Amino acid sequence: MEWHMIDAQNLAIVDREVGDYDFSPAEYEIVRRVIYTTADFEYKNLIHFSETAMQTGAAAIAARCTIVVDVPTIQVGILPQIQNTFANPLYCSLDAIARPQKDKTATAWGIENLAQRYPEAIFAIGQDHSALAILIDLIATGAVKPALVIATPGGFVDVDATKKRLQEFSVPQVWTEGSKGGATVATAILNGLLELAWLAYTPEES
């Protein structure tokens, strides 16, 4: 990955503090980016990857798969990287609100609409766990089959249970365990994956 000098110095500290790990090289690039972004070394033990998450996610990005996110923070945070790499179509849940809903958050309603429109997209749910619950319901019925789900909402009420429910399905996924997480974590994961895909699928200039 390309980093400025200060980034390299900080990453050297991350590597030294992390020590030994069981991640694949690609997975570790994601984990170290999250730790660097959050300054929280606990993420070494909180981020989990399904078996094919990295390979499937990178391939989908290289194929210009649509990316759907739950909040504008992620959309804004990954847009420069998307523009500099594969120019994937990018949508935020709040782009898809058609009418007010009494039984759903605006984010959950938007994710439901976008999921039905782009059933094989990459989904990054970083903040609203109710939006993740809606997405899982759609996965359970077979209505959508995401290329990858990034599930990092933080919080205390039902959040960890919702993330654990996602693990019941074979969809490629990256998730954070417990109450920690947030849009910043999802943004770091997506930016790392975008860069890894670019390195893997773009021939080096001679």
Side-chain angles (χ1 to χ4, degrees):
M1 293 185 178
E2 295 182 6
W3 301 91
H4 296 296
M5 180 61 68
I6 190 65
D7 295 316
Q9 293 171 344
N10 282 309
L11 286 167
I13 295 172
V14 170
D15 292 338
R16 184 169 62 249
E17 292 294 325
V18 166
D20 296 333
Y21 55 84
D22 295 325
F23 300 109
S24 71
E27 290 170 349
Y28 180 63
E29 287 294 346
I30 299 298
V31 171
R32 77 200 290 250
R33 184 183 282 262
V34 171
I35 292 173
Y36 175 44
T37 301
T38 61
D40 188 343
F41 285 92
E42 193 172 351
Y43 279 107
K44 174 186 176 181
N45 301 313
L46 297 181
I47 298 179
H48 301 280
F49 304 83
S50 66
E51 185 176 356
T52 63
M54 297 303 293
Q55 300 94 319
T56 304
I61 285 174
R64 298 190 69 250
C65 178
T66 296
I67 299 174
V68 174
V69 303
D70 65 330
V71 290
T73 301
I74 305 174
Q75 185 180 35
V76 172
I78 67 172
L79 185 58
Q81 190 79 296
I82 286 177
Q83 291 174 332
N84 290 329
T85 54
F86 298 99
N88 301 68
L90 173 63
Y91 299 97
C92 176
S93 66
L94 300 184
D95 296 333
I97 299 174
R99 62 180 185 275
Q101 294 286 301
K102 294 182 179 179
D103 59 338
K104 294 186 181 76
T105 65
T107 305
W109 173 241
I111 286 293
E112 183 175 13
N113 276 267
L114 287 169
Q116 292 170 346
R117 200 180 306 171
Y118 307 105
E120 297 182 353
I122 293 171
F123 292 87
I125 311 298
Q127 182 166 304
D128 190 335
H129 92 274
S130 67
L132 178 60
I134 288 291
L135 180 62
I136 293 171
D137 288 342
L138 293 170
I139 293 170
T141 63
V144 301
K145 190 176 181 180
L148 176 69
V149 176
I150 297 170
T152 66
F156 300 100
V157 180
D158 297 329
V159 173
D160 193 43
T162 302
K163 289 187 281 191
K164 286 180 178 177
R165 185 179 169 223
L166 175 64
Q167 298 163 44
E168 298 173 7
F169 302 94
S170 60
V171 58
Q173 56 192 269
V174 182
W175 73 94
T176 51
E177 178 184 345
S179 60
K180 283 191 174 183
T184 301
V185 176
T187 301
I189 293 171
L190 266 175
N191 274 328
L193 191 56
L194 281 159
E195 191 157 349
L196 286 170
W198 185 253
L199 291 173
Y201 287 92
T202 303
E204 294 185 4
E205 294 183 4
S206 56

